[in-house]
């Protein structure tokens, strides 16, 4: 175990200054005005850490604590399931952030003391902060699906709703499934991570089956009353590209699984499958639990600053937040949350008021085959009367039709947002 003293000797403020000295984008840090610790180096956290350094002119010391060695993107991970992309295509290093002076600590945060302003780490002793940013993504209520609430079951029935080892393991299950087998996927009740994600996943698996296992079937059990996003475009893709392969059942919440019998159970039926891909009800990531304010699931924030409504000095981003009206839980949104928080924290730490009217945007591309893509887009602005971000109505729209041109845009979107966060 590295002691806090060793850690500070090796990589504290001195290392930050040294890293800064070699960086053209950020001026050399003189005397820091304070320290921000960011927990989670995904879409929200990595963006926030980078922009805190750039926009503060290097005057804020930034520590990014992340448990995983590399960034693996959930957006485009369905393409790995479909077989048109590899894990290498969707994996990026966080090392470049060091050039902006972000000090990266590879560790698992065990706890937060918001009173004393300290985080408890696993390898290093606790670290103090002036402000904390939390972007831990999601964890799950496994207890809501009793048959899945143990480690053995979770090895066999995957969610693959966090990109990484589960993405590869699910792909392996699909590859070893017999031709003529049944793949079952569920959609939890909204809000969940990435509204179009499950419907895109069905397209990707269907694209793979069409080429490699054409007698196979897909059953989509949706807890919601209808397809949650881009419904007409997804239906058209299913009917025109994968006719007869996909059965869609709305109002069909998966309440349990029979692991031995490989069956997914709703209130009224039990469905047998060869590969079960079950996403339990999601909630804010474990480390954000003390700041949950709604339905035992999500963290309320002040949308001008992303500051928690129950803990001063703690800013929460991304999927862990109680979403503003019509705001999707998306990587694009988490990236924008990261920028609202970075700008607001810099103002607050300099004794100034944050921007009173932030405007942010979302675009979500979905690959309905290996090449053809559809999108949904929206712009959201702060409404002082409602004290939240709301969509600007004319900005909300979807593709006229799927196309290969949008396929190029969709892949370029991923490269651009990864560069914005990490390069
Ligand atoms: C299949 C799929 C497809 C998707 N497609 C799209 C898309 O096309 N477009 C789009 O915009 N969004 C898409 N999304 C949604 C997107 O992935 C999420 O909205 C986004 O990742 C949320 O960002 P975040 O920062 O909240 O969480 P994440 O990006 O998940 O980052 C959380 C990070 O925190 C780390 N962490 C958590 N707890 C700790 C701890 N205690 N200590 C240290 N580190 C910790 C995790 O390791 C992780 O790296 C998709 C999601 C899925 C599953």
């Amino acid at each position: 175990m590295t002691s806090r003293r060793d850690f500070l000797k090796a990589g504290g403020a001195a290392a930050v200054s040294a890293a800064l000295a070699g960086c053209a984008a950020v001026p050399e840090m003189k005397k820091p005005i304070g320290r921000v610790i960011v927990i989670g180096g995904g879409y929200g956290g990595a963006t926030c850490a980078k922009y805190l350094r750039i926009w503060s002119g290097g005057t804020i010391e930034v520590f990014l604590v992340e448990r995983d060695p590399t960034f693996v993107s959930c957006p485009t991970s369905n393409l790995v399931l479909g077989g048109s992309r590899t894990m290498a295509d969707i994996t990026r290093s966080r090392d470049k952030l060091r050039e902006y002076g972000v000090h990266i600590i590879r560790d698992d945060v065990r706890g937060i003391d918001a009173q004393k302003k300290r985080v408890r780490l696993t390898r290093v002793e606790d670290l103090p902060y002036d402000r904390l940013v939390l972007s831990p993504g999601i964890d799950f209520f496994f207890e809501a699906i009793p048959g899945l609430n143990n480690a053995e079951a979770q090895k066999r029935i995957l969610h693959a709703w966090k990109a990484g080892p589960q993405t590869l393991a699910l792909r392996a299950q699909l590859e070893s499934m017999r031709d003529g087998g049944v793949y079952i996927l569920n959609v939890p009740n909204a809000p969940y991570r990435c509204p179009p994600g499950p419907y895109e996943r069905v397209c990707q698996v269907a694209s793979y089956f069409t080429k490699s296992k054409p007698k196979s079937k897909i059953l989509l059990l949706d807890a919601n009353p209808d397809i949650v996003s881009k419904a007409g475009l997804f239906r058209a893709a299913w009917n025109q590209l994968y006719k007869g392969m996909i059965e869609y059942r709305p109002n069909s919440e998966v309440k349990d699984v029979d692991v031995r019998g490989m069956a997914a159970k709703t209130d009224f039926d039990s469905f047998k499958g060869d590969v079960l891909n079950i996403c339990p009800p999601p909630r804010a990531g474990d480390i954000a639990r003390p700041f949950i304010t709604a339905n035992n699931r999500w963290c309320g924030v002040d949308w001008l600053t992303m500051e928690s409504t129950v803990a001063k000095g703690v800013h929460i981003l991304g999927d862990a937040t109680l979403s503003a009206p019509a705001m999707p839980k998306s990587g694009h949104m988490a990236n924008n949350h990261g920028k609202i928080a970075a700008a607001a924290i810099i103002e607050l730490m300099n004794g100034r008021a944050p921007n009173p009217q932030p405007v942010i945007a979302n675009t979500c591309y979905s690959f309905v085959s290996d090449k053809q893509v559809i999108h949904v887009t929206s712009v959201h602005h702060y409404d002082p009367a409602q004290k939240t971000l709301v969509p600007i109505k004319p900005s909300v729209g979807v593709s006229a039709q799927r196309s290969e041109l949008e396929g190029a845009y969709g892949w370029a979107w991923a490269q651009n947002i990864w560069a914005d966060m990490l390069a």
Side-chain angles (χ1 to χ4, degrees), residues 39-45 65-68 71 74-78 94 107-110 135-138 160-162 193-194 197 200-201 287 317-320 329-334 362-365 413:
I39 301 174
Y43 277 88
V65 191
E66 166 58 52
R67 61 160 76 107
D68 289 339
F71 166 78
C74 283
T76 65
S77 66
N78 282 333
R94 296 187 181 87
D107 209 338
D108 211 328
V109 181
R110 287 184 299 138
S135 195
I138 54 166
W161 226 241
K162 295 184 187 190
R193 162 173 277 188
C194 192
E200 179 192 59
R201 180 168 293 183
I287 196 67
L317 317 177
D319 291 356
K329 292 191 182 298
S330 74
H332 201 136
M333 272 295 158
N362 183 70
T363 305
C364 203
Y365 290 98
W413 170 89

Side-chain angles (χ1 to χ4, degrees), residues 211-226:
K211 287 175 208 137
S212 305
K213 302 173 199 274
K215 289 187 239 149
S216 305
K217 298 281 182 211
I218 297 174
L219 175 60
L220 182 56
L221 298 173
D222 195 336
N224 300 285
D226 196 2

Side-chain angles (χ1 to χ4, degrees), residues 85 241 365-375 399 401-412:
R85 295 284 175 183
L241 303 176
Y365 290 98
S366 300
F367 284 76
V368 295
S369 71
D370 53 353
K371 294 194 179 65
Q372 295 193 332
V373 165
I374 56 180
H375 81 265
S399 315
Q401 58 190 27
R402 64 178 184 272
S403 71
E404 289 193 14
L405 180 62
E406 286 214 32
Y409 293 163
W411 189 246

Side-chain angles (χ1 to χ4, degrees), residues 84-415:
S84 64
R85 295 284 175 183
T86 64
M87 288 303 277
D89 291 330
I90 65 165
T91 301
R92 293 289 180 276
S93 164
R94 296 187 181 87
D95 284 352
K96 273 247 164 203
L97 291 177
R98 295 182 204 280
E99 293 180 18
Y100 295 91
V102 176
H103 194 84
I104 301 174
I105 304 175
R106 166 112 188 269
D107 209 338
D108 211 328
V109 181
R110 287 184 299 138
I112 296 161
D113 186 335
Q115 297 297 323
K116 293 190 179 141
K117 295 192 164 183
R118 297 179 93 82
V119 296
R120 275 206 321 279
L121 301 176
T122 308
R123 292 189 310 120
V124 184
E125 285 168 32
D126 60 350
L127 267 182
Y129 62 81
D130 295 296
R131 284 189 179 266
L132 180 67
V133 176
L134 267 177
S135 195
I138 54 166
D139 280 298
F140 304 95
F141 283 116
F142 281 104
E143 55 274 34
I145 308 210
L148 203 49
N149 197 19
N150 65 79
E152 274 312 301
Q154 288 166 30
K155 269 190 219 148
R156 183 132 186 241
I157 298 179
L158 307 169
H159 53 77
W161 226 241
K162 295 184 187 190
Q166 285 223 356
T167 314
L168 275 181
L170 180 57
R171 171 69 189 174
Q173 288 186 352
L174 293 168
E175 281 174 347
S176 55
M177 193 185 94
R178 69 191 163 94
D179 187 9
V182 177
Y183 164 71
I184 301 180
L185 173 67
N186 76 318
V187 187
N189 274 306
Y192 57 87
R193 162 173 277 188
C194 192
Y199 313 104
E200 179 192 59
R201 180 168 293 183
V202 158
C203 292
Q204 286 305 310
V205 174
S207 167
Y208 168 58
F209 284 172
T210 303
K211 287 175 208 137
S212 305
K213 302 173 199 274
K215 289 187 239 149
S216 305
K217 298 281 182 211
I218 297 174
L219 175 60
L220 182 56
L221 298 173
D222 195 336
N224 300 285
D226 196 2
I227 296 172
V228 174
S229 176
K230 297 178 256 193
L233 291 161
F234 276 118
R235 270 208 186 85
W238 297 349
N239 290 333
Q240 291 158 15
L241 303 176
Y242 312 114
K243 198 158 182 52
M245 186 174 269
I246 300 164
E247 183 186 351
Y248 175 68
R249 288 191 172 232
N251 296 311
S252 300
E253 183 178 2
V254 171
K255 297 272 183 77
D256 205 356
V257 291
D258 170 1
V259 182
R260 197 170 285 178
M262 285 299 274
K265 298 176 178 179
T266 62
D267 276 335
F268 305 109
D269 293 296
S270 179
F271 302 92
K272 270 181 86 64
D274 295 81
V275 174
L276 264 54
N277 179 189
I278 303 298
C279 178
R283 57 171 171 74
D286 283 341
I287 196 67
R289 276 192 130 160
F291 312 108
I292 285 177
T293 56
N295 307 333
N296 206 14
R297 295 175 81 184
W298 310 115
C299 306
V301 295
D302 171 349
W303 289 99
L304 285 181
T305 58
M306 306 304 295
E307 195 166 14
S308 159
T309 52
V310 293
K312 279 245 155 287
V314 177
H315 301 254
I316 305 176
L317 317 177
D319 291 356
T321 56
L322 172 63
S323 305
M327 179 180 282
K329 292 191 182 298
S330 74
H332 201 136
M333 272 295 158
N335 167 275
N336 280 219
H337 296 172
K339 290 175 185 171
I340 293 182
I345 288 170
I346 292 164
E347 295 309 301
L348 292 168
M349 287 178 80
N350 281 287
R352 300 186 296 254
N355 174 8
Q357 287 199 308
V359 181
I360 60 175
N362 183 70
T363 305
C364 203
Y365 290 98
S366 300
F367 284 76
V368 295
S369 71
D370 53 353
K371 294 194 179 65
Q372 295 193 332
V373 165
I374 56 180
H375 81 265
V376 59
T377 190
S378 54
V379 178
H380 304 245
H381 69 160
Y382 189 77
D383 178 352
Q386 297 182 62
K387 291 196 164 65
T388 187
L389 288 160
V390 292
I392 301 173
K393 286 256 165 61
S395 73
V396 182
V398 298
S399 315
Q401 58 190 27
R402 64 178 184 272
S403 71
E404 289 193 14
L405 180 62
E406 286 214 32
Y409 293 163
W411 189 246
W413 170 89
Q415 311 306 307

